[in-house]
Amino acid sequence: DVVLTQSPATLSVTPGERISLSCRASESVDTYLHWYQQKPNESPRLLIKYASQSISGIPSRFSGSGSGTDFTLSINGVELEDLSIYYCQQGNSLPFTFGSGTKLEIK
Amino acid sequence: QVQLKESGPGLVQPSQTLSLTCTVAGFSLTSYNVHWVRQPPGKGLEWMGVIWNTGGTRYNSALKSRLSISKDTSKSQVFLKMNSLQTEDTATYYCARGDLGPHFDYWGQGVMVTVSS
């Protein structure tokens, strides 16, 4: 199974900061890497697909990059509403797997 | 408008079978795949399995011997059955529409299932 390692586990941020979250795969997943946001007591929401493709309705401050084994989710100007847990997920090979998540907190 | 909604019992006794239904709207089960994902309280997401638009299925090997996914296309419903439940199966269970990739572009609200006597 492909293991996705997300870092850091928790990130303390100040509103307005530009931040980057990392997701590393145990083997290449090409660009079959997707990002989700999950707010407390809500279902996950798709943020970025295929490593870097934007999703309709998602604010433009969210962007993704990477391919192969190293991926980054960036938020350019964190807002209070972004305080959530962020998960990466690979769709390159079965079983599809998720990372353990990065939690954004207010500093 | 794409919607998915899970339904089923909130409480299941240990060793019993869990039966959940995912009712979809706004798309056809002959055109899209539906996945099941679960999340234990305070923990991360675990992919459980998928029913392809063609009707084929694939399961997480960790659950394969206990899990079955089926569908009734005419009723726009997908069914999950998992037997021999244990306390560690306590989780919120989500169904999600799978698009190419696959990525999960629409999710249900989830149903919390507690395994307890």
Side-chain angles (χ1 to χ4, degrees), chain A residues 59-70:
Chain A
S60 58
R61 63 182 179 273
F62 291 94
S63 63
S65 63
S67 66
T69 60
D70 287 344

Side-chain angles (χ1 to χ4, degrees), chain A residues 32 36 38 43 50 89 91 96, chain B residues 39 47 94 100-102 104 107-108:
Chain A
Y32 294 98
Y36 302 84
Q38 187 177 33
S43 304
Y50 297 110
Q89 172 250 323
F96 306 126
Chain B
Q39 185 172 37
W47 179 81
Y94 297 99
L100 297 176
F104 311 126
W107 294 67

